[in-house]
């Protein structure tokens, strides 16, 4: 259908979209029609403009035509007077989608996940004159309110990671202008440097104390008796003038010089920042409400900057003439890299806000993913309590020429501690590298097969069973919504839920202790975070919420300013933090590998199990095959290696005989009243097999220390020791 028609004096433009009705309906359900208005603007020459049958005025609001992730064919019919025409995007890939044949320019545009203000530009020739036409509008989201939710996401990201939300070479942009009642460009510069000033000054001092130098040659004239060595090139001259004591010989000497490109840059950057700081300091001091504490702090910083700027070190350093080539010293060397990063950050902040009022941001899917990571970190912090120390090891990394990205894996780790004890850690995007052979960049976690890339990994540290035991939970942020139920609840994408099942099955825990090199199931649960909506009561009844208790796989709707649905995630993470390890593992047996199937694995183990009378109520019933569960004794806790491989157990009491054995159907944890071994293994059993004759007690020690891999091997040991069974 023809959505937008522009009748220009030089051409007629048509914008189409075959799925517009479905897209509009989805946007209205998720955002509301009142939030789907945009302002259209265009350059001179337009005779008329219409959206459908509705007339459109320049600079006025109307319903949105362009949405994310939709394809828009565009046709521009020129008259015979136009000899050449092209699409004028800053992205060559978009221009390549358009072709000019005859008198028609045709192609299509898809904004993907990029939302915000955009301009459609045409460049065409009439004779020798080149003309331009621009049509301005907003590309809106079908899932989130651009005018409200996008702003909140940007604010939260910028509060945590300054300038992380900005990007370059995008199809959309956002307007930023100085506000006389709020932040000015200088204040933005000031606020950024306020966080960087301590590390910047420290880096400058570090460089001055241990600068990078280079050897530099210079010419000197010396008498023969002052020569420390005789260069080969003056030997003949020395022989010729050997009787002339006053004769001077020209030689070249080398010294370590501080006048390097990097030190020149340091001198320039330090001077530039010191001068800017002094100017802004005077302006801030003039504000009546400026506190004395702040004034003292500013005086201290200014004193440090001035002292560094006038340091004798710079007397032999020349004037900075620009970076003629890439410098690894500035990018990687201690001190220099921090100075370069700070200078780059301040320069970008200043230029972006001093005359450039169009800022491009990352696409909404990436912003939503980063925002979810920040939200989860805040929720973990809130649920752990206000007295928890947060160690932010996460940092931004340069991603291209102008933009930054959040570090991945080890570079994005956030540790939560209390009194020096680690309680939890959160990692963003622990993606694998080929060198790691499938590792997801967290200690002990491995992926033996194909790479798995969860967005957020939360590990809770529990010390109640064993010290430092970690419980792993995966979160994946998806900027997608599947359908809406009859109760008005948005649902997550089916493939995203399936992906969480794959994550849980594919990621293993590798024990690095000596003698234990096997893989164990690691991930307890996986959860989707998506920008869904719905009444919190109905959301709690939804299938993707009910499945949390059943299989530890599910989803949480999470969108800006939705306080009520956020509470579902808050409550869930709070429960994970508050639960004891035994309770977590008891409800997560499929993920920890303690549920058994009817198919015996290759490493099936027969095990003789000593029975503790204090934790098993009826010993006679246990020994006669009349119980459905048995609790392992103290000896079992000392000797057990890989409890997941045990499929059959033969109970015995000290001084007794083996009467038969059970098949194990399930292994679980049980807390008992014992100061030394408070946590035991509880086996659920069935299929009692009674031996024809009881086995003697003497074989227990042998069999227990070396559990046999199958029944025949087990009983062959018994025969070798003349034990009748």
């Amino acid at each position: 259908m023809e959505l937008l028609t522009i009748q220009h004096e030089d051409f007629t433009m048509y914008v189409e979209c075959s799925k517009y009705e479905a897209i509009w309906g989805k946007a209205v359900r998720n955002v509301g029609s009142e939030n789907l208005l945009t302002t259209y603007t265009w350059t001179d020459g337009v005779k008329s403009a219409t959206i459908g049958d509705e007339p459109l005025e320049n600079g006025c609001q109307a319903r949105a035509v362009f949405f994310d992730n939709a394809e828009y064919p565009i046709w521009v019919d020129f008259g015979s007077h136009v000899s050449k025409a092209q699409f004028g995007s800053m992205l060559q890939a978009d221009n390549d989608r358009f072709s000019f044949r005859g008198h028609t320019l045709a192609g299509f545009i898809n904004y993907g996940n990029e939302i915000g203000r955009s301009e459609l530009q045409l460049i065409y020739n009439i004779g020798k004159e080149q003309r331009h036409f621009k049509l301005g509008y907003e590309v809106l989201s079908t899932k989130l309110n651009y005018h409200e939710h996008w702003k909140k996401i940007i604010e939260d990201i910028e509060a945590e990671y300054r300038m992380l939300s900005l990007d370059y070479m995008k199809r959309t942009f956002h307007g930023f202008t100085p506000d006389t009642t709020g932040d000015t460009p200088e204040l933005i510069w000031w606020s950024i440097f306020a966080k960087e000033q301590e590390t910047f000054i420290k880096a400058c001092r570090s460089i001055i104390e241990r600068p990078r130098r280079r050897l530099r040659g210079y010419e000197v004239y010396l008498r023969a008796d002052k020569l420390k060595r005789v260069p080969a090139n003056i030997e003949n001259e020395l022989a010729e003038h050997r009787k002339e004591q006053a004769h001077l010989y020209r030689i070249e000497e080398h010294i370590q010089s501080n006048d390097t490109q990097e030190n020149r840059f340091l001198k320039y950057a330090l001077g530039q920042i010191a001068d800017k700081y002094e100017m802004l300091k005077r302006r801030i001091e003039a504000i009546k409400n400026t506190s004395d504490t702040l004034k003292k702090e500013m005086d201290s910083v200014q004193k440090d900057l001035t002292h560094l700027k006038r340091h004798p070190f710079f007397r032999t350093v020349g004037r900075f003439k620009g970076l003629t080539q890439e410098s690894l010293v500035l990018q990687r060397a201690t001190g220099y890299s921090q100075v370069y990063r700070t200078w780059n950050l301040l320069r970008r902040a200043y230029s972006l806000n001093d005359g450039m009022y169009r800022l491009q941001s990352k696409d909404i899917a990436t912003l939503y993913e980063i925002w979810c990571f920040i939200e989860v970190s805040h929720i973990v912090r809130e649920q752990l309590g206000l007295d928890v120390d947060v160690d932010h090891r996460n940092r931004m990394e340069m991603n291209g020429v102008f933009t930054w990205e959040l570090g991945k894996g080890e570079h994005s780790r956030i540790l939560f501690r209390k009194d020096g004890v680690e309680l939890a850690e959160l990692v963003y995007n622990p993606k694998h590298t080929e060198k790691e052979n499938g590792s997801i960049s967290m200690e002990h976690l491995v992926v033996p097969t194909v790479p798995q890339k969860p967005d957020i990994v939360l590990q809770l540290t529990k010390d109640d069973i064993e010290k430092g035991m970690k419980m792993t939970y995966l979160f994946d942020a998806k900027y997608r919504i599947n359908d809406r139920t009859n109760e008005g609840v948005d649902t997550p994408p089916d493939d995203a839920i399936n992906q969480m099942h794959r994550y849980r099955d594919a990621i293993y825990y590798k024990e690095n202790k000596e003698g234990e090199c096997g893989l164990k199931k690691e991930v307890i649960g996986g959860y989707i975070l998506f920008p869904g909506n719905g009444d919190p009561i109905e959301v709690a009844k939804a299938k993707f919420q009910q499945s949390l208790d059943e299989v530890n796989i599910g989803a949480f709707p999470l969108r800006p300013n939705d306080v009520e649905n956020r509470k579902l995630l808050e409550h869930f993470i709070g429960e994970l933090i508050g639960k004891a390890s035994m309770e977590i593992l008891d409800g997560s047996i499929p993920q920890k590998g303690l549920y058994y199937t009817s198919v015996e694995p290759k490493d099936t183990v027969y095990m003789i199990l000593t029975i503790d009378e204090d934790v098993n109520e009826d010993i006679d019933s246990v020994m006669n095959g009349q119980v459905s569960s048995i609790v392992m004794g103290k000896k079992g806790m000392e000797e057990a290696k890989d409890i997941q491989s045990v499929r059959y157990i033969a109970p015995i009491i000290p001084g007794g005989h083996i009467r038969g054995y059970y098949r194990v159907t399930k292994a679980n944890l049980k807390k008992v009243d014992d100061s030394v071994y408070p946590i035991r293994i509880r086996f659920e059993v069935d299929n009692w097999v009674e031996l024809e004759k009881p086995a003697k007690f003497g074989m227990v020690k042998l069999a227990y220390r070396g559990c046999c891999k199958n029944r025949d091997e087990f009983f062959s040991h018994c025969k070798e020791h003349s034990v009748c069974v």
Side-chain angles (χ1 to χ4, degrees), residues 660-695:
Y661 57 89
Y662 293 92
R663 182 177 71 90
V664 178
T665 61
K666 177 181 175 182
N668 208 340
L669 297 177
K670 179 179 177 64
K671 190 171 183 179
V672 299
D673 187 13
D674 190 307
S675 59
V676 181
Y677 300 101
I679 304 296
R680 306 288 182 87
I681 302 296
R682 179 180 61 202
F683 293 102
E684 293 189 10
V685 296
D686 63 6
N687 293 357
W688 166 258
V689 177
E690 186 173 355
L691 301 180
E692 294 180 3
K693 293 183 179 181

Side-chain angles (χ1 to χ4, degrees), residues 599-617:
V599 180
E600 292 186 14
K602 294 180 180 180
D603 60 349
T604 295
V605 171
Y606 279 72
M607 182 176 183
I608 297 174
L609 181 64
T610 55
I611 304 302
D612 191 336
E613 297 182 8
D614 295 334
V615 295
N616 291 276
E617 297 180 358

Side-chain angles (χ1 to χ4, degrees), residues 173-428:
F173 58 87
H174 313 275
F176 286 78
T177 57
D179 185 354
T180 56
T181 61
D183 287 346
T184 64
E186 289 81 6
L187 191 56
I188 292 175
W189 188 101
W190 180 268
S191 65
I192 292 174
F193 186 67
K195 297 180 181 180
E196 298 285 328
Q197 61 191 21
E198 183 178 350
T199 54
F200 178 79
I201 292 173
K202 183 178 179 181
C204 290
R205 287 173 176 164
S206 175
I207 294 173
I208 292 174
E209 292 172 0
R210 295 179 295 276
R212 291 293 183 102
R213 298 186 174 96
R214 70 175 180 181
L215 284 174
R216 169 166 289 184
Y218 67 101
E219 293 180 349
V220 294
Y221 290 84
L222 300 174
R223 292 181 305 182
D225 59 340
K226 297 294 184 179
L227 294 176
K228 297 179 181 179
R229 62 182 182 86
V230 179
N233 63 330
I234 68 167
E235 288 178 352
N236 293 335
E237 183 181 359
L238 184 65
E240 181 181 350
H241 301 281
R242 63 182 181 277
K243 295 183 180 180
E244 301 175 22
Q245 296 183 359
H247 185 78
L248 298 177
Y249 301 89
R250 186 183 68 176
I251 65 170
E252 185 179 39
E253 291 190 351
H254 292 83
I255 61 171
Q256 290 281 358
S257 173
N258 291 325
D259 191 17
T260 66
Q261 177 181 243
E262 291 77 21
N263 290 334
R264 288 181 177 185
F265 169 79
L266 171 65
K267 181 179 181 179
Y268 167 77
L270 180 59
Q272 188 185 59
I273 290 174
D275 293 342
K276 180 82 170 181
Y277 191 93
E278 183 179 9
M279 179 190 70
L280 296 180
K281 172 177 171 289
R282 290 197 301 267
R283 187 179 301 179
I284 293 174
E285 286 176 337
I287 301 174
K288 294 182 180 179
N289 294 328
T290 303
S291 67
D292 293 335
T293 303
L294 178 58
K295 289 180 179 179
K296 289 180 181 179
E297 180 182 350
M298 291 189 297
D299 287 336
S300 176
V301 174
Q302 180 61 38
K303 182 180 178 181
D304 288 339
L305 291 173
T306 302
H307 176 74
L308 289 170
K309 180 181 175 182
R310 297 174 179 175
H311 197 280
F313 169 79
F314 295 110
R315 292 175 183 172
T316 58
V317 177
R319 186 170 60 89
F320 180 64
K321 299 179 181 180
L323 297 173
T324 57
Q325 61 184 13
E326 186 178 9
S327 172
L328 292 179
V329 173
L330 289 180
Q331 293 183 9
R332 299 180 182 178
T334 303
Y336 290 93
S337 59
Q338 180 62 47
V339 170
Y340 184 71
R341 176 188 176 277
T342 303
W343 177 78
N344 223 349
L345 189 64
L346 294 173
R347 182 184 64 162
R348 291 166 59 217
Y350 179 74
S351 64
L352 287 172
N353 292 278
D354 188 17
M356 292 180 62
Y357 306 119
R358 292 184 176 183
L359 303 183
Q360 300 170 3
S361 75
K362 291 179 171 60
D363 63 83
I364 185 62
T366 302
L367 292 174
Y368 181 73
E369 180 182 296
I370 297 172
W371 180 79
C372 285
F373 173 72
I374 294 173
E375 281 294 281
V376 172
S377 70
H378 289 174
I379 291 174
V380 172
R381 172 72 174 82
E382 293 164 5
Q383 297 302 316
L384 286 173
L386 297 177
D387 54 346
V388 172
D389 296 324
V390 181
D391 180 5
H392 279 264
R393 299 184 180 181
N394 51 330
R395 63 175 185 267
M396 296 192 301
E397 299 174 342
M398 183 65 78
N399 180 31
V401 181
F402 302 110
T403 58
W404 298 81
E405 67 177 7
L406 191 60
K408 298 178 175 60
E410 295 292 334
H411 298 166
S412 68
R413 189 184 300 271
I414 301 178
L415 297 177
F416 301 87
R417 293 191 179 97
K418 183 176 181 180
D419 300 328
V421 177
E422 183 179 318
L423 302 178
E425 63 178 313
L426 196 67
V427 176
Y428 171 76

